[in-house]
Amino acid sequence: MPKTKQIAATVVAVSLIGSLAVASGVQAAGLSLGALVASQCNTCHGTDGEGAQSVPRLAGLDADEIFESMKAFASGEDTASIMDRVAKGYSDEQLHAVANYYSEQ
Ligand code: HEC
């Protein structure tokens, strides 16, 4: 095998092992996808989405409401000081997972 191909194959193998390790690490820690995404929201929205100062509470809101709200922020349909940028960083799967997570808090 030419050296560059060998290096490329090694890089692919190493990154595959890396992502498997991350995936099993998440499962080992018992974190669902929703909880994982929520850990990036809680810095502003408070522990378990209880809300903090001027940041609204998410805990106990309807899951569809949270999801639709995120889509509206991402599309610019809803104006926001910060959520327009935050909402663009997640896939629909991640948004459904985090919406379900907060609705159950
Ligand atoms: C940097 C701080 C910050 C982060 C991180 C953040 N939010 Fe927000 N969020 C806000 C603020 C502030 C508002 C009020 C709207 C605005 O001004 O952007 C808000 C509003 C919302 C609303 C509307 C709630 C309502 O009742 O109107 C939802 C839903 C929401 N955030 C979900 C999330 C989710 C889900 C995440 C994580 C993926 C997240 N936010 C991460 C600061 C943040």
Side-chain angles (χ1 to χ4, degrees), residues 9-94:
T10 308
V11 168
V12 168
V14 168
S15 49
L16 275 178
I17 292 167
S19 49
L20 285 178
V22 169
S24 57
V26 166
Q27 277 174 351
L31 278 184
S32 65
L33 178 63
L36 191 70
V37 176
S39 68
Q40 295 161 14
C41 318
N42 284 346
T43 42
C44 292
H45 285 276
T47 312
D48 297 327
E50 289 160 3
Q53 286 143 23
S54 59
V55 185
R57 178 186 181 90
L58 299 179
L61 292 185
D62 184 67
D64 289 341
E65 201 179 301
I66 296 174
F67 180 81
E68 291 308 326
S69 184
M70 293 297 277
K71 297 302 279 185
F73 283 136
S75 70
E77 189 187 321
D78 238 358
T79 50
S81 61
I82 184 90
M83 282 307 298
D84 49 345
R85 277 159 286 164
V86 174
K88 282 181 188 146
Y90 297 93
S91 67
D92 280 4
E93 186 194 3
Q94 290 170 322

